[in-house]
Amino acid sequence: MASLEVRFEKISPVTSLLRCTRSDGRSLAMITPHQPGLPHDLLHWLVETELGFGDAMFGQLLRNENLREDVATGSFAGFDAGTVDSVNAETIASTLDWVDWSQAPDWRELRRQCAESFAYYHLPMPTLSESRWQALHAALTGMLAHWPGVPVGGVLEFRYPPLAEGSGKP
């Protein structure tokens, strides 16, 4: 079965390097900035794996033969940001970029804030079970406790697709 090795390396207190290496040896990398909580693409990892968005960024990185690094931007070119899963994952990850984590929001509050974002952009909110939102909240809480302790030069590694339920957690 094809798989994707996903590595987040903290290269400064506010920047990380995301490197994805497929089982066929192809590798792509890009710089990802940190928002107030977690790096944006680490949020994508948690959102996509916990909520089951298999046709978003990491699923496409695994399957798409046309992906390449864009030399000018350092981003992934050939990634289809227009799939339903991609739109859902980006809307949720972008919302989570700006959550005030010091207020310790519960899963219901995270879902409410995401619902506001979907409404603002006139997008249909995906129907997700309470257990999915709870799993995302638990994964976010765990990563928010873990990531600040990762030193500059430190790496978190994951495999896509995840081997077991909840493997997006450290």
Side-chain angles (χ1 to χ4, degrees):
M1 173 193 228
S3 65
L4 184 69
E5 179 185 302
V6 178
R7 293 173 39 104
F8 293 93
E9 179 181 355
K10 191 182 279 187
I11 57 176
S12 82
V14 296
T15 311
S16 295
L17 175 68
L18 166 62
R19 178 169 303 281
C20 298
T21 305
R22 295 184 341 183
S23 51
D24 65 6
R26 288 187 63 199
S27 183
L28 297 164
M30 70 180 215
I31 301 297
T32 180
H34 300 190
Q35 301 299 350
L38 296 171
H40 181 75
D41 290 322
L42 185 51
L43 288 170
H44 261 279
W45 171 262
L46 296 170
V47 167
E48 292 176 30
T49 58
E50 296 299 336
L51 299 183
F53 295 139
D55 194 27
M57 185 171 81
F58 292 102
Q60 289 185 38
L61 289 173
L62 176 62
R63 293 184 308 275
N64 190 341
E65 290 302 316
N66 297 317
L67 276 171
R68 65 192 183 289
E69 288 180 60
D70 183 312
V71 178
T73 66
S75 295
F76 302 129
F79 168 73
D80 184 0
T83 68
V84 171
D85 279 358
S86 292
V87 170
N88 289 340
E90 182 61 33
T91 303
I92 294 171
S94 294
T95 301
L96 296 175
D97 274 335
W98 301 105
V99 167
D100 182 358
W101 299 107
S102 70
Q103 297 299 307
D106 64 11
W107 68 269
R108 288 176 186 86
E109 176 59 18
L110 294 180
R111 182 177 63 183
R112 185 196 65 73
Q113 288 184 33
C114 289
E116 285 182 0
S117 292
F118 279 93
Y120 177 82
Y121 291 110
H122 305 286
L123 297 168
M125 173 103 165
T127 302
L128 299 164
S129 68
E130 288 184 3
S131 64
R132 287 276 191 179
W133 284 103
Q134 291 166 346
L136 175 61
H137 181 265
L140 287 163
T141 301
M143 194 59 73
L144 284 160
H146 183 70
W147 181 254
V150 174
V152 170
V155 173
L156 296 182
E157 293 181 308
F158 305 101
R159 182 156 306 281
Y160 188 89
L163 300 174
E165 195 66 29
S167 64
K169 300 172 202 151

